Amino acid sequence: MATCDKGCAPAVRLCARLNRLKTLDDDMMATSLKRCLSTLDLTLLGVGGMVGSGLYVLTGTVAKDMVGPAVIISFLFAGFASLLAAFCYAEFGARIPKTGSAYMFTYVSVGEVWAFLIGWNVILENMIGGAAVARAWSGYLDSIFNHAIQNFTETHIMQWNVPFLAHYPDLLAAGILVVASFFISFGVQVSSYLNHIFSTISMGVIIFILVFGFALAEPANWSQKEGGFSPFGWSGILAGSATCFYAFVGFDVIASSSEEAKNPQKAVPIATAISLGLAATAYILVSTVLTLMVPWHTLDPNSALADAFFRRGYSWAGVVVAVGSICAMNTVLLCNLFSLPRIVYAMAEDGLFFSIFARVNPITKVPVNAILVFGILMATMALIFDLEALVQFLSIGTLLAYTFVAASVIVLRFQPEKTNSKGNTSTSPNSNAEATPSESQIISEDSGELKQYESFSDKLQLVERQKTRERRGVGQLRACWEPYLGQLLGNCEPGEVVAMCVAALIVSSVSLCAVLEFGNQQLQLPGWSFTTLLVIFSSAFLLSMTLIWFHEPQTNSKTFQVPLVPLTPGASIFINVFLMMKLSYLTWIRFTVWIAIGLFVYFGYGIWHSKEGMRELQPKDMAARYVVLPSGSLVETVQSVQPDGLVDTAAPLINPSTVPTTEELAGKR
């Protein structure tokens, strides 16, 4: 047995290193970046990240090929599904006002290697997204000039015929990314001002489209003569919802900017809610106008809005729509170039990525190295890759990040606060909150006064139970379920059962979605087998959520909290996993290759330079625990011991051996 323990020790240590959590300081508002963004700034960033070229292209494509006029319902369902994920981001952005978004949220709740992989995938998603939008921006502008730019490039510069590469180098797309990176490197306020300008123009164009479009609306275009409101039925609506879901990708830029917000605790949730509401309203109303102006089956998928006005005899309105489309794509470019360097900066700041990207310019207060390097890489991708080749690799990293953030919400909601050896630092985001009932028990004495009995250690609690009922701590079974499940789960550490249930929740979601997506066609399962698997995995999913609900959550947070936990994040996990199952096999191949490269970077650099790992190697500060008796109550006081052996004399020193026991105190009374 001893030999087995010795052989397993290296594996145990490795697992501990891979799953170590990020330690957050007590003052989470301290930052080397500049806190200058208001709620309005964050809201416009969110709107700019969501309302882009999809408003001018995606609406027509989904309406014609998948849904018909019922695209309105598809956007409504997609907006609700996005709201579930946005709730989770809003809670973390308010509780942890640090840049890094999903990477940071995963690091403080799940573990280091998982956080690195999430950040690694989000980096690629932002690079591909920015390059794809730049290619679309270039193509849209080129089409206005009758493809003169493309013809000149192919004739006088060069062209090639290579799979996955563009037919010609898109110098315009690369140029706009380089210029945008240059402007963003001047500071967050410059980025915000540019986003204000483009977002204002874009919203003005949307208002023009709605007012003028409703004036030209013809309800007959929804009649049975034209195919009816929902020609593809509920299957088409649900398929369209899955596609429309990606229109709302981009709200995470708000959480990425929380370290530069003036008041992130209030601004992040408010900005997330308002921006998502505005984006959903814009998509729904524009879809309504578009399908009422012309019959849905005659739409041009490439430029539906401009073509609709042209066919109604208002070709000049197409110019206005083109201006709005270009401004909307500019806001998406700015959001991609804004959030990507900050994720890189957060990873580098934690030591998991190359330290050169952690440097912040002392004047502009932004990570200039990360902005310029990744802006050039994004421009290179836009220069040589085809738009379709870029788009087919999108989405999986974003959906994976949404899944981990939702899981992190559940884990942290049922995790008791933990203090480290430095006293004020904590691995829980609620380090500023007051002590929870798991750390102290509030009881009523004979005198009617409330007195607080603190613990001598993390395991031992002094609780007097003469007249009051014990309240369960965070992460423990609720008192009403203790008689039924106490023997089975009562000996587990607080939050341990919840963490295992979250893992079971994800596994059951993957299994259930795989059966739903591949069971009938690819796997060709018999009817009884298909039904049996659905029942098993559905039961496991519901059982996991029920067991989580049986435990005590945190209730003392002073910031925004996701409602209906674990139902809301659980539903978000299921939706994200279901959408991931619908991605093409090429996307999964890209994901596997990119993950392998990321693991090579992590084990080659990140794990050895991790600041959390270095903190573990440093000699820990000594701390002494004492019990003082103010006003007859037992209170635990932590006093630091300096490395030279001297005790901090700011608080009185009391020998624990001389402290009277609870029985002696009762006798004295």
Side-chain angles (χ1 to χ4, degrees):
M1 191 69 180
T3 305
C4 180
D5 292 340
K6 282 187 177 181
C8 295
V12 172
R13 287 196 297 268
L14 177 61
C15 289
R17 295 176 69 182
L18 296 179
N19 292 283
R20 55 195 169 203
L21 303 179
K22 180 176 174 61
T23 303
L24 295 174
D25 292 334
D26 188 44
D27 185 11
M28 286 189 289
M29 294 296 289
T31 176
S32 57
L33 304 179
K34 185 177 182 181
R35 290 195 178 274
C36 59
L37 297 179
S38 63
T39 303
L40 177 62
D41 297 329
L42 294 178
T43 302
L44 290 179
L45 275 174
V47 172
M50 287 182 281
V51 182
S53 57
L55 186 72
Y56 301 88
V57 179
L58 186 65
T59 49
T61 302
V62 176
K64 181 177 181 179
D65 299 334
M66 305 178 71
V67 188
V71 65
I72 301 167
I73 302 178
S74 293
F75 273 115
L76 189 63
F77 286 169
F80 176 75
S82 300
L83 182 65
L84 300 179
F87 273 149
C88 301
Y89 273 81
E91 173 171 332
F92 271 114
R95 293 176 66 181
I96 310 174
K98 294 292 184 181
T99 192
S101 189
Y103 156 77
M104 180 65 65
F105 307 155
T106 307
Y107 202 173
V108 301
S109 57
V110 181
E112 183 174 283
V113 67
W114 310 105
F116 177 86
L117 293 178
I118 290 295
W120 184 249
N121 275 281
V122 171
I123 287 174
L124 183 62
E125 293 290 319
N126 279 274
M127 289 179 63
I128 292 177
V133 172
R135 294 281 307 194
W137 183 93
S138 172
Y140 201 95
L141 187 64
D142 194 23
S143 64
I144 296 177
F145 298 102
N146 199 25
H147 301 287
I149 301 174
Q150 176 181 349
N151 295 333
F152 178 84
T153 304
E154 291 180 344
T155 304
H156 297 89
I157 300 179
M158 65 181 302
Q159 60 176 319
W160 53 66
N161 293 314
V162 181
F164 298 106
L165 297 184
H167 296 299
Y168 65 96
D170 197 336
L171 299 175
L172 185 60
I176 186 63
L177 285 170
V178 172
V179 172
S181 301
F182 179 73
F183 276 107
I184 287 178
S185 65
F186 281 115
V188 63
Q189 287 183 320
V190 175
S191 306
S192 180
Y193 292 152
L194 288 175
N195 185 69
H196 280 205
I197 294 171
F198 291 129
S199 295
T200 302
I201 297 174
S202 178
M203 288 188 290
V205 172
I206 291 173
I207 294 174
F208 166 80
I209 292 172
L210 295 178
V211 173
F212 198 25
F214 275 118
L216 300 174
E218 294 182 358
N221 290 325
W222 284 6
S223 65
Q224 289 297 327
K225 180 182 177 182
E226 299 293 346
F229 179 75
S230 180
F232 297 92
W234 280 105
S235 60
I237 291 175
L238 294 177
S241 299
T243 303
C244 293
F245 179 83
Y246 302 115
F248 297 98
V249 170
F251 60 79
D252 56 329
V253 68
I254 298 175
S256 298
S257 310
S258 59
E259 192 166 340
E260 293 159 290
K262 295 177 182 176
N263 186 6
Q265 285 78 13
K266 292 183 178 180
V268 171
I270 294 174
T272 302
I274 294 176
S275 61
L276 191 61
L278 290 175
T281 302
Y283 277 110
I284 291 172
L285 292 180
V286 169
S287 300
T288 304
V289 166
L290 182 61
T291 53
L292 284 173
M293 286 177 61
V294 295
W296 61 269
H297 53 81
T298 64
L299 291 171
D300 181 3
N302 296 321
S303 56
L305 282 169
D307 182 69
F309 282 109
F310 177 78
R311 289 167 56 190
R312 294 301 300 270
Y314 298 94
S315 56
W316 58 269
V319 178
V320 178
V321 172
V323 171
S325 177
I326 291 175
C327 289
M329 285 188 273
N330 283 338
T331 61
V332 177
L333 276 180
L334 287 173
C335 289
N336 274 283
L337 287 169
F338 184 88
S339 59
L340 172 60
R342 282 153 179 80
I343 296 172
V344 175
Y345 161 77
M347 296 174 67
E349 180 72 12
D350 292 332
L352 302 185
F353 207 51
F354 305 111
S355 59
I356 188 175
F357 298 123
R359 298 176 186 174
V360 175
N361 187 283
I363 299 176
T364 61
K365 299 293 184 181
V366 293
V368 175
N369 292 340
I371 291 173
L372 296 180
V373 170
F374 282 87
I376 293 173
L377 288 176
M378 195 182 296
T380 304
M381 294 181 67
L383 180 70
I384 62 175
F385 284 106
D386 185 25
L387 178 59
E388 294 182 1
L390 290 172
V391 170
Q392 69 181 351
F393 290 148
L394 276 174
S395 304
I396 189 169
T398 301
L399 292 173
L400 187 67
Y402 287 179
T403 302
F404 269 83
V405 170
S408 300
V409 166
I410 302 176
V411 171
L412 283 184
R413 182 65 63 86
F414 294 89
Q415 184 182 66
E417 296 178 16
K418 300 175 183 178
T419 56
N420 65 5
S421 60
K422 293 187 180 181
N424 288 335
T425 54
S426 172
T427 56
S428 171
N430 276 339
S431 57
N432 291 330
E434 296 175 359
T436 63
S438 64
E439 295 171 320
S440 63
Q441 303 292 337
I442 307 297
I443 67 171
S444 177
E445 299 285 347
D446 295 337
S447 61
E449 298 179 355
L450 293 178
K451 295 189 177 183
Q452 182 167 301
Y453 286 74
E454 299 286 339
S455 59
F456 281 111
S457 67
D458 295 335
K459 300 288 184 181
L460 179 63
Q461 294 184 351
L462 298 179
V463 183
E464 193 170 308
R465 306 181 184 179
Q466 285 91 353
K467 294 183 178 181
T468 60
R469 187 178 180 180
E470 180 182 7
R471 190 183 187 282
R472 305 296 294 174
V474 173
Q476 297 178 341
L477 275 174
R478 296 176 188 260
C480 58
W481 297 106
E482 178 70 21
Y484 308 100
L485 299 174
Q487 292 184 348
L488 180 63
L489 305 176
N491 294 328
C492 296
E493 293 291 329
E496 184 179 358
V497 175
V498 172
M500 291 188 292
C501 288
V502 169
L505 192 70
I506 296 176
V507 172
S508 59
S509 297
V510 172
S511 304
L512 179 59
C513 293
V515 172
L516 289 172
E517 184 65 21
F518 307 115
N520 285 329
Q521 296 181 358
Q522 286 86 346
L523 298 178
Q524 296 182 350
L525 295 174
W528 66 269
S529 177
F530 180 80
T531 304
T532 302
L533 290 176
L534 284 184
V535 171
I536 292 174
F537 295 135
S538 299
S539 301
F541 182 85
L542 295 176
L543 179 62
S544 299
M545 287 219 294
T546 304
L547 285 177
I548 293 172
W549 181 76
F550 284 168
H551 291 74
E552 288 284 353
Q554 292 182 2
T555 57
N556 64 340
S557 177
K558 299 178 181 179
T559 59
F560 172 79
Q561 285 190 317
V562 177
L564 301 177
V565 174
L567 180 61
T568 299
S572 180
I573 290 173
F574 179 81
I575 293 172
N576 298 329
V577 172
F578 181 75
L579 292 175
M580 290 172 68
M581 291 295 172
K582 286 186 167 293
L583 298 175
S584 66
Y585 73 94
L586 286 176
T587 303
W588 284 98
I589 292 175
R590 188 279 300 172
F591 174 75
T592 304
V593 173
W594 187 248
I595 285 290
I597 298 173
L599 290 174
F600 178 79
V601 174
Y602 175 74
F603 285 105
Y605 182 88
I607 195 172
W608 306 107
H609 296 82
S610 169
K611 290 189 177 179
E612 289 301 320
M614 294 180 180
R615 183 180 285 111
E616 292 175 357
L617 296 176
Q618 292 175 353
K620 300 183 181 296
D621 295 341
M622 301 298 295
R625 294 178 179 266
Y626 302 94
V627 178
V628 295
L629 302 169
S631 303
S633 297
L634 290 174
V635 178
E636 180 188 51
T637 302
V638 179
Q639 296 174 324
S640 61
V641 177
Q642 305 301 326
D644 58 0
L646 298 177
V647 179
D648 186 2
T649 57
L653 176 62
I654 298 177
N655 189 344
S657 61
T658 63
V659 177
T661 63
T662 308
E663 291 79 4
E664 292 173 350
L665 288 174
K668 289 183 179 180
R669 291 178 184 172

